[in-house]
Amino acid sequence: MSSSGPNLNMPTHDPSHNGDSNHAAGGWPDNVGIVAMDIYFPAQFVEQSELETHDGVSAGKYTVGLGQTRMGFCSDREDINSLCLTVVNRLLEKTGTDPTRIGRLEVGTETIIDKSKSVKSVLMQLFAESGNLDLEGVDSTNACYGGTAALFNSINWVESSAWDGRLALAVCGDIAVYAAGPARPSGGAGAVAMLIGPNAPLVLDRGVRSSHMEHVYDFYKPDMSSEYPVVDAPLSIRSYLSSLDACYNKYRAKAANRGHENITLDSFDAMVFHTPYCKLVQKSLARVCLNDYVNLDKEHKSKLAHLEKFSEVCLEKSYTDRDVEKAFMAHSLQRFEAKTKPSLLVATNVGNMYTPSVYGGLISYLVSGCSRSLAGQHVAVFSYGSGSASSLFSIRVTSEEGHLEPLLKCLSDVQSRLSDRRKMAPEEFVATLGGREKAVHAAPYTPQGETETMFPGTWFLASIDEMHRRKYDRTSTTLSKANGH
């Protein structure tokens, strides 16, 4: 593994000090957060407008109704292991991170191909040559939320007595596929890897992150022989929005306890959401504005004459109220355009990546700006996973442009990679998913998908033997440590 690359100001560790040199006077290391990050998505996509025609639905059902433009998808050459191998390999190479400097590695996913062997264990082959087998962490499994669990666990490790001064690596990846029908256009695939440590350019705020966990059968995968979920769409949307309400108001209460009164959407420069589909994100931003309105006193409500008819609205009774939804989507439109729409670049072009979805949103927002415009910003992040698990937390972007630039440089190829993908016809997309259906749990099995059209440096499934043991290989790479593929 190359040791050259952009200087990310990563802490070094002197074992004789047990990492104390990186700790603040209070006992915690300073500015713990995301030191660097990268994203991987497949090299092929299907146009949602063409899929509308193929499926025989009305024009705009997917592109306007869901807010989706393109959907990335995987052939039988890619699985959750290969996605995570690719994104971790890319991040280590692009940042020039010595594998021995990683002390914790955890994967968040809901794409299960083995009920016992973790994805993290497969990733250990990237560390074998360096001799670094001292790596804590395994997998966190929960629909769309596992990546956030991996991130929080990594942050907690750095801030704990167990920390040995090294970096943590939080990885999230999934392949989102649905049976033929109305849910299929909300699929996607991808992976995100994040280096976690002190002195980070993206610092997670302490003491304010809030969570809401509940037992809900809105989306689940009870059939272990299938990649497809069971979905109760109306319940899923209600659960998402009610969890957002709960997390937002718990965050506000925790912030108030720390002396930050009257937190509103305007307290943040941006707000990033888990994105099942882009239209729901716009409705979610409107939902935050509805919460802000409900929290106003009568005097301040009276100044918003265009919302007067909703002055007595009850949050719990408004989830299916189209008048409320329409009014607050209009009321919040300018805020959505400024604070949230820039975060939808990956989601509208790749689709729902499940656990990496919200972090693809964060990456999209970061690549929409420059170090000068992003420096010092305050970003709220809402993560949701069905079942259900949700959290709202916030990130402070460093005010030092020079400290932020290496992270942005690592992400500078995202737009070009999106543009370099290969468009596939809807018939090819359907046939590819049909091939994946036949390959689920097959052994022995030799994948049929092409490897020549993959991005350089992509890991892929080479074979599965009669004992279900998977072997992986990597496409030839021209990976530039400075700017990606």
Side-chain angles (χ1 to χ4, degrees):
M1 197 75 66
S2 171
S3 59
S4 62
N7 178 11
L8 295 175
N9 297 317
M10 297 178 188
T12 56
H13 173 51
D14 179 353
S16 66
H17 290 88
N18 290 322
D20 289 343
S21 61
N22 290 306
H23 282 70
W28 279 333
D30 288 321
N31 299 321
V32 176
I34 301 170
V35 176
M37 60 194 311
D38 198 13
I39 185 171
Y40 168 75
F41 38 79
Q44 61 277 334
F45 68 89
V46 61
E47 287 278 3
Q48 293 277 17
S49 59
E50 294 181 3
L51 199 58
E52 289 171 343
T53 302
H54 175 272
D55 292 349
V57 301
S58 58
K61 185 175 180 65
Y62 306 156
T63 52
V64 178
L66 297 179
Q68 300 300 121
T69 303
R70 294 171 171 177
M71 177 170 49
F73 62 97
C74 297
S75 74
D76 61 353
R77 283 290 183 183
E78 297 190 271
D79 61 17
I80 183 58
N81 292 338
S82 68
L83 262 61
C84 292
L85 282 165
T86 298
V87 76
V88 170
N89 213 161
R90 282 179 56 90
L91 182 60
L92 294 179
E93 288 184 341
K94 289 170 76 172
T95 59
T97 301
D98 188 326
T100 62
R101 296 179 66 194
I102 307 299
R104 182 181 179 90
L105 170 58
E106 184 166 349
V107 177
T109 186
E110 64 172 275
T111 304
I112 307 301
I113 58 176
D114 191 292
K115 291 183 285 186
S116 178
K117 184 172 175 59
S118 67
V119 177
K120 183 270 180 78
S121 67
V122 177
L123 295 180
M124 288 305 300
Q125 63 190 291
L126 298 177
F127 298 84
E129 184 178 350
S130 72
N132 180 20
L133 305 182
D134 179 16
L135 278 163
E136 287 191 8
V138 282
D139 292 0
S140 291
T141 304
N142 192 92
C144 298
Y145 184 84
T148 295
L151 172 63
F152 287 175
N153 289 344
S154 299
I155 294 288
N156 295 346
W157 177 73
V158 174
E159 293 184 342
S160 76
S161 61
W163 186 53
D164 62 7
R166 294 185 292 169
L167 296 165
L169 186 53
V171 186
C172 37
D174 277 303
I175 297 174
V177 288
Y178 294 83
R184 177 160 278 188
S186 57
V192 169
M194 297 172 277
L195 283 173
I196 309 300
N199 308 319
L202 305 180
V203 180
L204 269 68
D205 286 329
R206 287 175 172 149
V208 290
R209 77 187 189 209
S210 59
S211 295
H212 183 76
M213 308 282 176
E214 201 170 359
H215 172 51
V216 183
Y217 274 116
D218 59 333
F219 172 108
Y220 51 109
K221 296 178 180 177
D223 183 356
M224 299 300 290
S225 67
S226 171
E227 288 191 298
Y228 301 142
V230 176
V231 184
D232 183 333
L235 179 59
S236 185
I237 295 170
R238 182 187 178 97
S239 180
Y240 183 108
L241 295 176
S242 63
S243 295
L244 173 60
D245 288 348
C247 286
Y248 183 57
N249 285 293
K250 290 173 186 176
Y251 180 101
R252 294 179 73 251
K254 290 185 178 182
N257 288 337
R258 298 176 69 86
H260 302 287
E261 299 284 349
N262 301 319
I263 291 290
T264 68
L265 178 58
D266 292 331
S267 303
F268 304 102
D269 298 285
M271 191 161 189
V272 177
F273 298 84
H274 166 59
T275 309
Y277 54 92
C278 293
K279 201 70 172 184
L280 181 58
V281 169
Q282 185 173 0
K283 294 178 181 180
S284 298
L285 196 280
R287 191 77 194 178
V288 174
C289 286
L290 171 61
N291 274 267
D292 286 346
Y293 180 75
V294 168
N295 290 326
L296 291 175
D297 57 31
K298 289 185 178 180
E299 180 182 353
H300 286 89
K301 283 183 179 178
S302 66
K303 296 178 181 179
L304 300 171
H306 63 292
L307 297 175
E308 182 180 2
K309 64 180 291 187
F310 305 107
S311 60
E312 301 299 325
V313 68
C314 173
L315 287 176
E316 291 75 15
K317 297 179 180 180
S318 64
Y319 295 115
T320 58
D321 191 321
R322 299 304 182 194
D323 290 336
V324 171
E325 179 182 282
K326 184 177 179 179
F328 280 88
M329 284 183 71
H331 172 67
S332 64
L333 182 59
Q334 287 187 333
R335 290 184 178 92
F336 169 74
E337 294 283 342
K339 296 177 183 287
T340 300
K341 189 175 181 179
S343 71
L344 298 179
L345 171 68
V346 171
T348 192
N349 282 288
V350 178
N352 183 8
M353 300 184 293
Y354 287 165
T355 56
S357 170
V358 69
Y359 302 102
L362 178 59
I363 287 171
S364 296
Y365 183 76
L366 292 171
V367 302
S368 74
C370 62
S371 57
R372 178 176 298 179
S373 63
L374 293 167
Q377 287 199 7
H378 197 203
V379 180
V381 180
F382 176 66
S383 177
Y384 175 82
S386 293
S388 66
S390 57
S391 293
L392 192 149
F393 61 100
S394 52
I395 293 172
R396 298 275 179 182
V397 182
T398 178
S399 59
E400 300 176 18
E401 293 178 34
H403 192 33
L404 180 59
E405 285 171 358
L407 182 146
L408 297 180
K409 192 172 185 179
C410 195
L411 297 171
S412 63
D413 67 328
V414 170
Q415 183 63 71
S416 64
R417 280 191 282 137
L418 285 171
S419 300
D420 288 346
R421 294 176 301 162
R422 183 173 55 135
K423 186 176 81 165
M424 306 292 282
E427 292 79 8
E428 294 175 293
F429 164 70
V430 172
T432 299
L433 263 59
R436 291 189 63 88
E437 288 178 6
K438 295 176 182 178
V440 171
H441 300 307
Y445 181 73
T446 301
Q448 302 301 306
E450 297 180 2
T451 60
E452 297 81 5
T453 54
M454 289 178 162
F455 289 127
T458 299
W459 285 83
F460 61 89
L461 179 63
S463 64
I464 304 175
D465 70 13
E466 65 280 358
M467 294 182 68
H468 293 266
R469 294 175 299 194
R470 295 175 180 238
K471 181 179 179 181
Y472 297 90
D473 203 347
R474 194 184 187 198
T475 61
S476 60
T477 175
T478 56
L479 187 64
S480 166
K481 300 166 188 67
N483 61 5
H485 75 284

